[in-house]
Amino acid sequence: MIWWKRSSSSLLSVRGCRRFVDRLLGGAGLLSALLGASLVIWMLGFVLVESWPALQQIGPLRFLTDTAWYPTLGRFGMWPMVVATVVVTIGSVVVTTPVALGSAVYLRFYAPPVLAGLYRRVLWVLAGVPSVVYGWWGITALVPMIGRFSPFGFGHSLLAGVLVLSIMTLPLAALTVDTALGAVPRDYLAAAAALGLGRRAVAWQVAVPLAWRGVLAGVLLQTARAIGETMAVLMVCGNVVQLPVSLFAPVRLLTANIALEMGYATQLHRSALFVSGLWLLVLAAVLVWAAQRLERECT
Amino acid sequence: MARCGVGMRSRSAACRFWVVGLLAAVALSGCVRGRDDGHGKAHAASTHRDASPSRLIITGSSTLAPLVAEIARRFEQLHPDVRIEVQTGGSSRGIRDVSTGAADIAMVSRDLDESERDLTAIPIARDGVCLLIHKNNPVTSLTDEQVIGIYTGKIRHWEEVGGLPQPIVVVSKAAGRATLEVFCQYFRLREDQIRADIIIGDNQEGLKAVANHTGAIGYVSLGAAEYEAQRGLPIKLLPSRGVPATTDRLADGSFPISRTLNLVTRGEPSGWASRFISYCCSEHVHDLVEAFFFVPVVR
Amino acid sequence: MSPDAPPGIRVAIELERLTVRYGPVVAVRDVSLAIPPCRITAVVGPSGSGKSSLLAAINRLVDLVPGAVVSGRVRIAGQEIYNGLTDVDELRRRVAMVFQRPNPFPMSVRRNITLALREHGVRRRELLEAIVHRVLHDVGLWEEVGGRLDYPAHKLSGGQQQRLCIARAMALDPEVLLLDEPCSALDPLSTAKIEELLRRFRERYTVVLVTHNLAQARRLADYVAVLWQIEGEGRLLEFGPASDVFENPQHELTRAYVTGLTG
């Protein structure tokens, strides 16, 4: 369609060349998009294929109805781990959100610019600390501390999991919330200031309510990410498969289940662990879906 | 109008993205299913056995596999014309593979029984499991009945077995671990009878958990426990049936909670299999055996 | 100063050699002006002549711009506002501002109005409701929005949003109303409604209206200040009663501007 134009003048041939580059870039973009999509779907397919024997031979229902998790004895109750994973995630969001919000509001509205810059850099560094380090801190400092208050006499618990997860989540959550607050249109801030609202009111009455969904979406996404960092949680949660009856009770999360047993599992046991992975994918999908919904309604 | 157009376009692009991704995924998961089919691998490999370089297939116990894999690596360096393939799948799989000729050598972490008399077992190492408590715990020994009582939740306080007035924190291992298997076998417990407070994965976590709680009791690989105790970790290794938990007593066969790790062949070993098994029993690999916290079998 | 100011005070806002700089850029230089109370004063001029900066200096909103420096004097009812004693939040309550683009908060109509009131200490529910009613009546929104005070503000039309912004400002019972091209984003019908409003407010507030719509200035203004960009800096060309500036401009540039030859 364009070839005759290209030959008609030098100007148009430049345009033709540009069009060619456009197509090249478009093709490359499509290719990388394809690669990304197929990787994700390949992974999903892999987990499905691997968990298929368990789903077929044990049946999907028994993962919920079996009373306990003794995979080597043919008992595959996964429900307590699903509940524990959800509870720890919610707990972490509840702990992280106010702290991240407070620190981000301080950054945006109170801190002198130099200090804010410094603080942001510290947060970035903290965000890069590997989860094992947090786990190590959890096991040497946090768990003994909780153990002193625990009615059970030891600190490996739901609470320890929530706290370690929160601390891992906090730096990036604070930065995401900071970005969400930064995205509040200047118009609103100017309007608020022009109404004689003080800094506190501008921040908490105008900026925070406006950024609220973005804030929650950010915290959700960061929590979803952090829960995948299995090592820290594995080290402090106690890993007993039971419903979380108390903050101080040990629990096992789905991620920890995989990490604990995968190296030594065979046949159906191994396949059942992939079912844990499937559950995790479902939970992560729910989290991301919720976060995206919040973000979309936010704009 | 223009805005609407953009929206439509991105939607159709997203649509294309997913369709192509889905196709790719179907193709890929087909590959996975075709390739990854448990035992088929060993069979396929064994048919090529006569081709040069020579090939040894070893399957079986996941307890032994990491050690044998390390020895195999060293053996291959000495004999570049041999390729050794080590696969896990449990002792029973090893025996089955050797019986059918699918594997040359089986790794078996138990003694052979009557029905397996046509096979030859050569012990290459011993694996012991010892009970440990915190160093400050005044208890110096427990009878087997007391240990069973503690691990089944019937005994919950140290006072009941002559210790301090504090609750017992029971540390156990995750499903599938060899240590758990040995422990259960010795005390004639089923996995689902154990009432644990903390479930750990590897020996290090177990040692750490006991060292952190004065009221804890746990069991780990004897070699690992002795090594850490000598390096000053505040733990105490409990004797079993009056026999102190030391690697010397494990090596001479007097420590009761132990098992023999065997290499098994059909009939008498010959050729490369024979040479490899001899190498596994030689002093050249004692450093590796000890690195995995087993004790070499001394002849 | 209040709407019924004592007759002795003839000047509501006094600018004396006001200069606003943003870093190296001088937006407004050496502007001296006496804006009379309870009149509409229009500030006109081409874009870049410093109209908005001048306006933002009057309620110290310019403080929000990083690197902004204000020199000279600004007095409101005789009180200097650029000194450490000024309570800026109180100043902004007294000197309300309406922006070019309607910017109601994305909350309910009611909350848009009560938010600032609460912050300024009005807590009693009946009083809050009464004020909401009064200001919505004043801007003619009451009939249009009716009982739906919980209606989300951002779902109103552009003109309604802008009138809500005016109502929001009026709720604080200010003395001065600063308007920064309040109709430039609106259709003619909405513009007419707002102009009607301003005409009614003339008696009650000192209104400063920045506009580049000369026709609007002719329709509304009692006094007119003409700003011009000279050598990259905003300068005051001329100030006086609207009739003088439009019929008998003193400055060549003003003459050309008001007759539509330049600008």
Side-chain angles (χ1 to χ4, degrees):
Chain A
M1 233 200 101
I2 314 135
W3 56 269
W4 62 269
K5 274 191 192 167
R6 202 185 302 163
S7 56
S8 63
S9 82
S10 66
L11 187 78
L12 282 174
S13 92
V14 166
R15 193 178 296 163
C17 177
R18 212 173 273 166
R19 210 171 265 248
F20 173 72
V21 170
D22 259 7
R23 280 195 181 170
L24 205 70
L25 287 176
L30 182 67
L31 207 71
S32 50
L34 266 178
L35 194 71
S38 48
L39 270 178
V40 167
I41 298 177
W42 177 65
M43 191 196 69
L44 191 69
F46 179 74
V47 173
L48 267 174
V49 166
E50 288 290 332
S51 55
W52 188 249
L55 288 173
Q56 208 173 26
Q57 292 175 41
I58 303 166
L61 262 185
R62 273 189 52 202
F63 288 103
L64 296 180
T65 54
D66 272 14
T67 48
W69 171 260
Y70 295 107
T72 48
L73 302 176
R75 296 168 72 189
F76 295 96
M78 226 171 245
W79 185 239
M81 293 187 265
V82 176
V83 174
T85 308
V86 171
V87 168
V88 168
T89 308
I90 292 175
S92 168
V93 170
V94 167
V95 173
T96 308
T97 308
V99 184
L101 196 61
S103 106
V105 165
Y106 173 75
L107 267 180
R108 275 284 153 192
F109 293 97
Y110 291 89
V114 178
L115 199 65
L118 207 71
Y119 188 27
R120 278 196 190 97
R121 217 156 297 163
V122 169
L123 285 177
W124 278 117
V125 171
L126 283 179
V129 173
S131 68
V132 178
V133 176
Y134 286 108
W136 199 246
W137 168 82
I139 199 109
T140 50
L142 188 67
V143 166
M145 208 170 72
I146 294 174
R148 242 169 279 148
F149 302 106
S150 167
F152 301 113
F154 59 96
H156 295 75
S157 58
L158 178 77
L159 181 65
V162 166
L163 291 181
V164 163
L165 199 59
S166 303
I167 284 162
M168 279 163 58
T169 315
L170 253 176
L172 270 183
L175 286 166
T176 329
V177 175
D178 178 49
T179 313
L181 286 177
V184 170
R186 296 196 61 82
D187 275 14
Y188 295 137
L189 301 183
L195 286 168
L197 297 184
R199 190 152 54 171
R200 184 182 53 78
V202 172
W204 292 104
Q205 302 284 335
V206 179
V208 171
L210 289 185
W212 183 241
R213 287 163 190 283
V215 168
L216 209 58
V219 174
L220 278 183
L221 278 180
Q222 293 314 326
T223 308
R225 184 194 60 83
I227 205 157
E229 307 246 345
T230 313
M231 274 320 289
V233 172
L234 172 72
M235 287 163 88
V236 303
C237 271
N239 302 316
V240 177
V241 183
Q242 59 178 3
L243 284 169
V245 285
S246 147
L247 266 183
F248 294 102
V251 292
R252 186 187 296 187
L253 306 197
L254 289 165
T255 47
N257 194 40
I258 299 174
L260 267 177
E261 300 187 357
M262 189 53 96
Y264 301 86
T266 49
Q267 292 144 355
L268 264 191
H269 181 191
R270 187 179 128 91
S271 185
L273 291 180
F274 273 96
V275 177
S276 314
L278 217 53
W279 266 110
L280 264 179
L281 281 178
V282 170
L283 292 183
V286 169
L287 268 185
V288 170
W289 172 79
Q292 278 181 346
R293 250 192 80 124
L294 283 171
E295 262 179 349
R296 199 172 312 145
E297 281 179 26
C298 172
T299 49
Chain B
M1 205 46 221
R3 209 174 181 180
C4 174
V6 169
M8 300 251 299
R9 206 180 137 175
S10 73
R11 206 170 307 144
S12 81
C15 192
R16 198 165 33 182
F17 175 90
W18 282 110
V19 167
V20 182
L22 206 69
L23 287 176
V26 170
L28 278 166
S29 62
C31 294
V32 171
R33 193 193 281 261
R35 187 167 46 78
D36 195 46
D37 182 27
H39 309 293
K41 220 185 256 175
H43 274 293
S46 65
T47 57
H48 297 289
R49 225 191 299 171
D50 302 325
S52 67
S54 306
R55 196 178 269 261
L56 273 181
I57 311 282
I58 305 177
T59 69
S61 159
S62 57
T63 315
L64 258 172
L67 170 64
V68 172
E70 281 301 313
I71 297 177
R73 198 172 300 168
R74 204 176 270 183
F75 191 75
E76 281 173 348
Q77 276 169 5
L78 294 173
H79 308 280
D81 45 344
V82 184
R83 284 281 160 273
I84 300 176
E85 211 175 290
V86 178
Q87 294 170 13
T88 60
S91 299
S92 318
R93 179 190 164 188
I95 285 174
R96 198 171 59 230
D97 285 348
V98 161
S99 304
T100 60
D104 302 284
I105 302 173
M107 301 172 286
V108 179
S109 55
R110 58 173 168 80
D111 297 324
L112 296 182
D113 61 33
E114 283 300 299
S115 67
E116 295 157 352
R117 248 190 302 183
D118 55 326
L119 304 176
T120 311
I122 298 116
I124 61 164
R126 289 185 69 77
D127 178 22
V129 174
C130 72
L131 284 150
L132 60 149
I133 56 177
H134 195 273
K135 200 175 189 175
N136 298 347
N137 192 328
V139 171
T140 52
S141 72
L142 293 170
T143 66
D144 286 0
E145 288 68 37
Q146 284 172 327
V147 173
I148 292 169
I150 288 171
Y151 268 87
T152 52
K154 291 190 191 80
I155 301 173
R156 307 198 62 91
H157 282 84
W158 281 110
E159 276 171 303
E160 298 170 52
V161 291
L164 297 171
Q166 59 179 345
I168 301 176
V169 177
V170 178
V171 181
S172 188
K173 285 231 174 186
R177 303 273 168 164
T179 330
L180 171 66
E181 234 168 81
V182 175
F183 180 84
C184 284
Q185 208 176 346
Y186 175 78
F187 288 103
R188 294 207 172 75
L189 286 169
R190 258 197 353 262
E191 238 182 84
D192 55 359
Q193 292 174 301
I194 294 177
R195 296 280 167 269
D197 294 313
I198 299 171
I199 291 179
I200 43 92
D202 59 32
N203 288 326
Q204 282 307 315
E205 287 171 44
L207 291 162
K208 183 89 186 154
V210 173
N212 277 346
H213 296 94
T214 53
I217 181 168
Y219 57 88
V220 299
S221 190
L222 197 158
E226 187 178 65
Y227 177 74
E228 288 295 338
Q230 279 163 4
R231 290 187 50 183
L233 197 72
I235 52 170
K236 191 194 288 180
L237 282 61
L238 291 182
S240 195
R241 290 188 187 157
V243 182
T246 63
T247 41
D248 294 342
R249 291 312 186 89
L250 182 59
D252 68 19
S254 58
F255 188 76
I257 319 178
S258 68
R259 60 178 169 179
T260 310
L261 306 175
N262 299 294
L263 292 183
V264 170
T265 55
R266 190 167 59 170
E268 286 298 316
S270 61
W272 279 115
S274 167
R275 291 180 70 176
F276 179 69
I277 291 174
S278 307
Y279 185 68
C280 288
C281 297
S282 71
E283 287 190 356
H284 304 294
V285 299
H286 281 185
D287 59 324
L288 289 178
V289 173
E290 277 156 9
F292 282 94
F293 303 117
F294 303 136
V295 294
V297 172
V298 185
R299 305 209 171 174
Chain C
M1 201 209 73
S2 66
D4 45 347
I9 299 177
R10 305 283 310 176
V11 170
I13 304 168
E14 208 174 354
L15 311 181
E16 200 179 309
R17 304 203 59 183
L18 175 74
T19 301
V20 180
R21 288 188 183 84
Y22 304 115
V25 180
V26 179
V28 176
R29 184 185 284 283
D30 284 340
V31 171
S32 298
L33 258 182
I35 297 171
C38 300
R39 292 286 179 275
I40 296 178
T41 302
V43 179
V44 299
S47 29
S49 58
K51 304 187 295 290
S52 294
S53 298
L54 179 99
L55 207 64
I58 299 176
N59 69 349
R60 286 189 60 172
L61 206 62
V62 73
D63 291 6
L64 297 186
V65 183
V69 178
V70 177
S71 55
R73 290 174 184 285
V74 178
R75 279 188 292 268
I76 296 179
Q79 267 179 341
E80 172 63 40
I81 64 166
Y82 281 95
N83 61 29
L85 299 173
T86 312
D87 176 347
V88 178
D89 294 338
E90 174 61 14
L91 167 76
R92 289 178 187 154
R93 187 197 65 73
R94 292 170 55 201
V95 183
M97 189 167 195
V98 174
F99 296 80
Q100 187 168 357
R101 286 221 325 258
N103 56 0
F105 303 126
M107 310 163 179
S108 70
V109 169
R110 176 192 280 113
R111 196 161 157 69
N112 258 284
I113 296 169
T114 55
L115 181 66
L117 279 171
R118 285 173 193 276
E119 281 308 312
H120 287 288
V122 183
R123 290 288 146 98
R124 263 181 51 222
R125 215 187 164 75
E126 311 84 66
L127 186 54
L128 282 170
E129 285 299 301
I131 294 174
V132 170
H133 283 207
R134 175 171 62 78
V135 294
L136 285 180
H137 270 296
D138 276 353
V139 299
L141 262 184
W142 184 255
E143 297 76 19
E144 292 170 41
V145 181
R148 295 175 302 163
L149 293 180
D150 295 312
Y151 197 65
H154 60 274
K155 289 196 176 162
L156 298 174
S157 75
Q160 288 174 327
Q161 286 189 16
Q162 192 63 306
R163 277 184 286 148
L164 177 61
C165 290
I166 295 174
R168 179 173 72 182
M170 285 168 52
L172 298 175
D173 201 17
E175 296 148 27
V176 179
L177 203 53
L178 307 176
L179 300 117
D180 190 357
E181 304 188 24
C183 301
S184 64
L186 303 182
D187 61 273
L189 215 68
S190 304
T191 302
K193 278 190 182 152
I194 293 205
E195 287 183 4
E196 168 59 29
L197 269 181
L198 294 180
R199 233 171 257 127
R200 277 198 279 123
F201 291 165
R202 188 193 308 247
E203 312 295 312
R204 288 153 59 186
Y205 305 103
T206 302
V207 177
V208 183
L209 171 71
V210 163
T211 179
H212 55 212
N213 179 344
L214 283 174
Q216 184 174 55
R218 269 184 214 271
R219 288 195 294 270
L220 292 174
D222 302 304
Y223 291 85
V224 175
V226 183
L227 295 190
W228 206 264
Q229 193 182 37
I230 297 170
E231 290 161 13
E233 300 174 352
R235 300 280 199 146
L236 178 68
L237 272 190
E238 194 158 346
F239 175 65
S243 51
D244 290 5
V245 174
F246 284 120
E247 308 310 329
N248 187 22
Q250 300 299 302
H251 203 286
E252 268 313 302
L253 283 168
T254 316
R255 188 188 307 277
Y257 182 58
V258 299
T259 53
L261 292 176
T262 53

